[in-house]
Amino acid sequence: MLTISAELHAKILAHARADHPDEACGVIAGAVGSNRPERFIPMLNAERSPTFYRFDSLEQLRVWREMDDRDEEPVVIYHSHTATEAYPSRTDISYASEPCAHYVLVSTRHPDRDEFRSFRILDGEVTEEDVTIAPE
Amino acid sequence: MAIEVRIPTILRNYTGGQKSVEGSGATLEELFTDLDGRYEGLRERLIDDSGVRRFVNVYLNDEDVRFLGGLSAPVSDGDTVTVLPAVAGGRR
């Protein structure tokens, strides 16, 4: 199960809406082993595309080093789909390589309805999990 | 001195759980071959016939090796090589 604060939940949705029609992506870091997403890090989509996203490799290095220095890990890795449901695509599954991360998918296909779902992706296997939004 | 290679979580099963290992070589390709002698299978996860795998980012110090000539990039003692899984995906 993913437990996330209402504030971080809203930030992910706002980032996805702001970058629509391109896919938005980012990370929420948290202390290693804590399973608690705490530090919101929106990332550039180096592809600037409505159908694909990729973290800019140099930005990723900087952010991953910073997490390392702070004893953090990517607790959440999120991205948006802009015309399809919030479910991992084949490409998403083939790239997923952080075994401890919650993969959050949001969809901006409906202008007035949010979709926010969370998955574990391990060795090509997708498992959806419940999302609990915790008040501050 | 040697070249430090930082290994991401997903590949630490090849290095006995170590976060970083040391190797030697004059180029990135030689370094990976050297590492493969001790951490068998690691090289295969990092590179294929066309070079660094699409799913992997390899950095020499602060630079993405794709901008430094890929596997032929020269390396020397004291350098740090960092491996990170690329984070990417998309609708299809």
Side-chain angles (χ1 to χ4, degrees):
Chain A
M1 181 176 77
L2 170 65
T3 303
I4 186 170
S5 72
E7 183 194 352
L8 291 169
H9 179 263
K11 278 184 172 170
I12 290 176
L13 290 170
H15 183 201
R17 291 288 176 197
D19 283 13
H20 185 90
D22 288 345
E23 293 195 5
C25 55
V27 171
I28 305 180
V32 170
S34 70
N35 198 29
R36 275 183 46 175
E38 284 176 349
R39 194 164 63 89
F40 181 70
I41 312 168
M43 302 284 288
L44 293 171
N45 177 0
E47 303 287 330
R48 289 187 181 75
S49 158
T51 56
F52 199 75
Y53 82 98
R54 184 182 187 104
F55 285 6
D56 175 81
S57 66
L58 295 181
E59 184 182 37
Q60 188 187 346
L61 177 65
R62 188 172 55 69
V63 167
W64 254 244
R65 272 192 186 153
E66 199 175 83
M67 285 194 285
D68 226 28
D69 291 343
R70 299 165 60 120
D71 289 321
E72 292 173 336
E73 62 188 353
V75 178
V76 166
I77 295 176
Y78 71 86
H79 77 282
S80 63
H81 286 172
T82 57
T84 53
E85 68 171 334
Y87 191 88
S89 66
R90 267 203 330 224
T91 319
D92 295 336
I93 296 164
S94 62
Y95 271 96
S97 53
E98 291 287 353
C100 300
H102 301 268
Y103 283 88
V104 164
L105 271 287
V106 303
S107 176
T108 53
R109 63 181 163 168
H110 301 297
D112 48 6
R113 184 158 60 83
D114 293 326
E115 294 171 58
F116 185 111
R117 295 165 74 180
S118 183
F119 305 86
R120 294 287 192 173
I121 308 176
L122 246 183
D123 299 329
E125 191 109 347
V126 177
T127 312
E128 183 158 14
E129 58 184 1
D130 289 337
V131 176
T132 300
I133 299 169
E136 290 306 293
Chain B
M1 283 247 280
I3 300 157
E4 182 192 12
V5 183
R6 306 187 68 164
I7 305 292
T9 317
I10 187 117
L11 296 179
R12 286 181 199 155
N13 54 331
Y14 292 94
T15 61
Q18 294 181 82
K19 282 175 83 165
S20 102
V21 297
E22 292 192 337
S24 60
T27 63
L28 203 56
E29 178 148 33
E30 287 181 21
L31 172 66
F32 287 160
T33 301
D34 174 55
L35 289 179
D36 207 59
R38 273 158 289 139
Y39 310 108
E40 199 190 335
L42 182 61
R43 186 176 188 276
E44 163 100 24
R45 293 293 303 271
L46 302 177
I47 65 181
D48 59 19
D49 292 343
S50 59
V52 174
R53 284 186 182 274
R54 192 159 63 89
F55 297 98
V56 174
N57 292 333
V58 177
Y59 307 90
L60 174 58
N61 301 318
D62 295 330
E63 202 52 71
D64 186 328
V65 300
R66 290 187 178 90
F67 306 128
L68 299 173
L71 291 175
S72 57
V75 294
S76 52
D77 282 356
D79 281 341
T80 300
V81 171
T82 305
V83 178
L84 291 181
V87 181
R91 184 199 295 177
R92 282 186 281 272

